[in-house]
Every structure is written in structure tokens, then in C-alpha cells.
């Protein structure tokens, strides 16, 4: 069978747009469509005498099952068309036609008819095989997709089972920890119960002591009531004594006021006496001046003895009176401060 290179110029821009973005190799200098990659992979497998199947093309082209199935179907159709073109006889050359026009026309026509019949049978067989292959490829692609989905679901179920196992293991660990904590709490509760019993015993003892203290307090309150009654009686006596003391105090205050009045009166009398003494002092000074004048006159009247003696006697009498008055004034002045 003659190997022909598939014509990749028949693909449309829509086929390029339908290809997955991840199927375009980034390392290639010229971007290639999924159809071109599938055609190239199928040609390479055919050249290496390897089976051209959906799985081999998918692995070699690096695409999905659906993409490999779709473009492999187109490749096989193209291969069938190429085989039909190769089997079709070319037109008879003009030179040969001129040579055999007369004798070979019938033979050529018969040969062409037979060739066309054989080609039609072979084309029908190829088309049936291609249709069967397409159906097989579609069925295998669906089975592969189903297997992939089942594998993914199984992996998801396995992950869920692993997660559930970890959760159960964690729950088991938590249960063990909770059991240990419960046992510790039970031991702690037993200790607290023992302590509460001891506290209850101490509370009973404290209650008995409080009752004794309460009885003592009641007795003390009764004694305090008696003492309070006695204190009230003593307070009444003190209040009476206080009233008497207040009355005596009022009498003392009245006597004190009378003494103050008497002292004021004596002070006024002393002031009057001092004024009289001052007047007497002035009178004595005046008398001294008069005595001096009299002495002067007596000296002037020395020649008159009788008059001088009389004047002297009179002056001495006046002087004696002045001395008596001065002595009385001094006595009054001395008695005033002493009183």
C-alpha cells in the first residue's frame, strides 16, 4: 500500500478554534493545531509500521481521547481518498490515444470499467471498515472517558475514605483523651468529696461554737441591759446634780457681776480722789509761791518787827495747814491703790 502525505490544507479556522488551548506546545517555534498534531502522529505511526489507534495517536500527539478520535477519523477518510486517487487510472495520453485509438479503444474501455468496478468494491469495503473503525474508535473513546471518570471518582472516594479514616483516628484519640480526662476528673471529684466531708465536719463544729457564743452573747446582752438601766439611773442623778451646779454657777456669775460693778465704782472713786489730790498739789504750789512772796515781803519789812512777827506767825500757820492738807492728800493717794 502506497503511503501518502495527508493534505493538511483542508482544515478550517473553526477546527483551529475548537482545539484546547493546552494542546498547543509552547516550545514549538510555529504553533500547530490539534488536527496537524494528530495527522503527524498518525503518519509517523504508519511510517513505523505501528498500529494507528486512538490511544497510540493520543499518546504521540499529546491530546485527549475525544480530540484524537475526531481528527483520526478525518485522517482515515483522507487516507481512503488518497488510496482511491492512487487506484484511479490516469487519462490516456494523447499520443497513446492516437496510436491505439482504433484497436485499443474497446480494450481500454473494458479495462477502465473493470478497474472502476474493482475500485468501487474496494472503496465500499474501505468505507465499511472506516465506518466500523469510527464506531469502534467512538466506543473506545467513550469507554476511555468513562474509565477516566471512574478512576477519578475512585480516587475521590479513596481520598474521602482516607479523610474519614483520619477523622475516625482523631476521634479515637480524642475519645482516649476524654476517657483519661474523665478518670482524672473522677479522681479529682473523689478528692473534692472527701474535702467537702471534712469541711462539713468543721462546719458542724463551727456551728456548735457559734451556738455557744450566741448563748454567751444573750447572757452578755442581759447583763448589758441591767448595766444600761443602772446607767440610766446614774444619768438621772448626774442630770439633777448638773441642774444644781448650773444654778450655783448662775449665782456665782451674778456675784461676779456685782463684784465687777463694785470694782468699777471704786475705780471711779479712786479717779475722783486722784483728781482732788492733783488740785491739792496745785494749791500747795500756789501756797509755796505765796510763802516765798511773803518771805520776800518779810525781808523787806525787816525793820518793822511787829508787822514782820505777825506776818511770820500768819505764814507759819498757813504753812502748818498746808502741811496737814498735803499729808491728808498723800494718805488718800496711798490708800487708793491699796484698795
Amino acid at each position: 500500500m502506497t503511503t501518502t502525505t495527508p493534505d493538511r490544507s483542508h482544515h478550517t479556522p473553526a477546527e483551529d478554534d475548537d482545539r484546547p488551548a493546552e494542546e498547543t506546545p509552547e516550545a514549538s517555534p510555529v504553533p500547530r493545531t490539534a488536527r496537524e498534531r494528530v495527522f503527524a502522529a498518525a503518519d509517523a505511526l504508519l511510517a513505523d509500521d505501528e498500529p494507528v489507534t486512538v490511544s497510540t495517536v493520543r499518546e504521540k500527539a499529546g491530546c485527549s481521547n475525544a480530540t484524537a478520535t475526531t481528527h483520526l477519523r478525518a485522517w482515515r477518510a483522507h487516507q481512503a481518498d488518497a488510496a482511491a486517487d492512487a487506484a484511479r487510472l490516469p487519462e490516456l495520453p494523447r499520443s497513446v490515444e492516437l496510436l491505439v485509438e482504433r484497436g485499443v479503444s474497446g480494450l481500454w474501455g473494458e479495462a477502465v470499467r473493470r478497474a472502476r468496478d474493482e475500485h468501487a468494491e474496494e472503496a465500499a469495503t474501505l468505507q465499511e471498515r472506516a465506518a466500523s473503525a469510527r464506531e469502534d474508535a467512538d466506543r473506545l473513546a467513550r469507554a476511555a472517558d468513562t474509565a477516566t471518570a471512574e478512576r477519578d471518582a475512585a480516587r475521590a472516594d479513596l481520598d474521602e475514605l482516607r479523610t474519614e479514616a483520619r477523622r475516625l483516628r482523631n476521634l479515637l484519640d480524642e475519645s482516649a483523651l476524654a476517657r483519661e480526662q474523665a478518670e482524672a476528673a473522677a479522681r479529682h471529684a473523689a478528692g473534692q468529696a472527701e474535702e467537702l466531708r471534712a469541711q462539713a465536719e468543721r462546719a458542724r463544729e463551727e456551728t456548735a461554737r457559734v451556738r455557744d457564743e450566741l448563748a454567751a452573747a444573750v447572757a452578755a446582752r442581759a447583763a448589758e441591759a441591767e448595766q444600761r438601766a443602772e446607767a440610766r439611773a446614774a444619768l438621772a442623778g448626774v442630770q439633777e446634780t448638773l441642774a444644781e451646779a448650773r444654778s450655783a454657777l448662775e449665782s456665782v456669775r451674778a456675784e461676779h457681776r456685782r463684784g465687777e460693778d463694785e470694782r468699777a465704782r471704786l475705780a471711779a472713786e479712786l479717779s475722783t480722789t486722784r483728781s482732788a489730790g492733783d488740785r491739792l498739789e496745785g494749791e500747795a504750789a500756789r501756797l509755796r509761791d505765796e510763802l516765798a512772796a511773803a518771805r520776800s515781803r518779810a525781808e523787806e519789812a525787816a525793820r518793822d518787827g511787829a508787822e514782820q512777827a505777825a506776818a511770820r506767825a500768819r505764814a507759819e500757820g498757813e504753812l502748818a495747814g498746808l502741811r496737814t492738807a498735803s499729808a491728808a492728800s498723800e494718805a488718800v493717794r496711798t490708800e487708793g491703790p491699796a484698795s
Side-chain angles (χ1 to χ4, degrees), residues 135-156:
E135 293 177 357
D136 293 340
D138 293 338
R139 185 173 62 257
L140 291 174
R142 289 192 297 271
D145 293 338
T146 303
T148 302
E150 291 177 353
R151 182 195 61 192
D152 295 338
R155 287 179 178 176

Side-chain angles (χ1 to χ4, degrees), residues 270 274 331-339:
L270 177 60
R274 286 177 178 174
V332 171
R333 184 180 299 174
T334 304
E335 290 177 358
S339 62

Side-chain angles (χ1 to χ4, degrees), residues 101-170:
E101 183 177 5
R102 296 177 182 177
V104 186
S105 296
L107 181 61
W108 175 253
E110 184 66 21
V112 169
R113 282 193 298 273
R114 289 183 179 180
R116 286 178 177 175
D117 292 339
E118 292 177 358
H119 173 69
E121 293 177 358
E122 186 178 358
T125 302
L126 290 175
Q127 288 177 357
E128 291 177 358
R129 291 179 180 177
S132 177
R134 283 195 295 271
E135 293 177 357
D136 293 340
D138 293 338
R139 185 173 62 257
L140 291 174
R142 289 192 297 271
D145 293 338
T146 303
T148 302
E150 291 177 353
R151 182 195 61 192
D152 295 338
R155 287 179 178 176
D157 294 339
L158 180 60
D159 293 337
E160 291 180 358
L161 290 175
R162 288 175 178 172
T163 303
E164 184 67 17
R166 286 194 296 270
R167 187 181 67 82
L168 292 175
R169 190 178 298 109
N170 293 332

Side-chain angles (χ1 to χ4, degrees), residues 265-276 332-333 335-337 339:
R265 186 181 62 78
L266 292 175
E269 291 179 355
L270 177 60
S271 178
T272 302
T273 303
R274 286 177 178 174
S275 298
V332 171
R333 184 180 299 174
E335 290 177 358
S339 62

Side-chain angles (χ1 to χ4, degrees), residues 192-232:
Q192 286 184 343
E194 186 65 26
E195 184 178 355
L196 289 175
R197 283 194 291 271
Q199 290 179 358
E201 184 64 26
R202 289 195 296 271
R204 284 193 292 271
E205 295 176 357
E206 184 68 18
T207 302
R209 186 181 63 80
V210 169
R211 287 176 180 172
D212 295 339
E213 291 180 354
L214 181 60
V218 171
R221 183 176 297 176
E224 183 181 357
E226 294 178 359
Q227 292 177 359
R228 191 176 299 165
E230 294 176 357
R232 287 197 184 98

Side-chain angles (χ1 to χ4, degrees), residues 48-334:
D48 295 338
D49 291 332
E50 295 181 2
V52 181
T53 62
V54 174
S55 60
T56 57
V57 170
R58 182 193 62 196
E59 293 177 358
K60 196 169 188 64
C63 60
S64 63
N65 286 332
T67 302
T69 301
T70 301
H71 295 304
L72 186 59
R73 186 182 299 122
W75 178 82
R76 284 173 177 166
H78 184 73
Q79 288 292 101
D81 293 339
D85 291 339
R88 187 180 298 112
L89 291 176
E91 294 182 359
L92 186 65
R94 184 61 180 170
S95 59
V96 176
E97 184 179 359
L98 292 175
L99 292 175
V100 297
E101 183 177 5
R102 296 177 182 177
V104 186
S105 296
L107 181 61
W108 175 253
E110 184 66 21
V112 169
R113 282 193 298 273
R114 289 183 179 180
R116 286 178 177 175
D117 292 339
E118 292 177 358
H119 173 69
E121 293 177 358
E122 186 178 358
T125 302
L126 290 175
Q127 288 177 357
E128 291 177 358
R129 291 179 180 177
S132 177
R134 283 195 295 271
E135 293 177 357
D136 293 340
D138 293 338
R139 185 173 62 257
L140 291 174
R142 289 192 297 271
D145 293 338
T146 303
T148 302
E150 291 177 353
R151 182 195 61 192
D152 295 338
R155 287 179 178 176
D157 294 339
L158 180 60
D159 293 337
E160 291 180 358
L161 290 175
R162 288 175 178 172
T163 303
E164 184 67 17
R166 286 194 296 270
R167 187 181 67 82
L168 292 175
R169 190 178 298 109
N170 293 332
L171 288 176
L172 183 60
D173 295 339
E174 291 176 358
S175 299
L177 179 60
R179 185 175 62 255
E180 293 177 358
Q181 292 177 351
E183 292 175 355
R187 291 192 297 271
H188 181 65
Q192 286 184 343
E194 186 65 26
E195 184 178 355
L196 289 175
R197 283 194 291 271
Q199 290 179 358
E201 184 64 26
R202 289 195 296 271
R204 284 193 292 271
E205 295 176 357
E206 184 68 18
T207 302
R209 186 181 63 80
V210 169
R211 287 176 180 172
D212 295 339
E213 291 180 354
L214 181 60
V218 171
R221 183 176 297 176
E224 183 181 357
E226 294 178 359
Q227 292 177 359
R228 191 176 299 165
E230 294 176 357
R232 287 197 184 98
L235 179 61
V238 169
Q239 288 177 350
E240 292 177 359
T241 303
L242 181 60
E244 294 176 357
R246 286 176 179 172
S247 178
L249 180 61
E250 290 296 331
S251 299
V252 170
R253 286 177 178 174
E255 186 68 25
H256 178 69
R257 284 193 295 272
R258 287 194 297 272
E260 289 292 332
D261 295 339
E262 184 66 22
R263 183 179 298 174
R265 186 181 62 78
L266 292 175
E269 291 179 355
L270 177 60
S271 178
T272 302
T273 303
R274 286 177 178 174
S275 298
D278 292 337
R279 287 194 301 272
L280 290 175
E281 286 290 336
E283 187 67 24
R286 186 180 61 77
L287 291 175
R288 289 190 190 98
D289 293 338
E290 291 179 356
L291 179 59
R295 286 177 179 176
S296 178
R297 286 192 301 270
E299 290 177 355
E300 291 177 356
R303 289 174 294 183
D304 192 357
E307 293 179 1
Q308 186 177 9
R312 183 179 297 172
R314 193 172 48 254
E316 288 177 358
E318 292 178 358
L319 180 59
L322 290 174
R323 287 176 178 174
T324 302
S326 178
S329 177
E330 288 293 334
V332 171
R333 184 180 299 174
T334 304

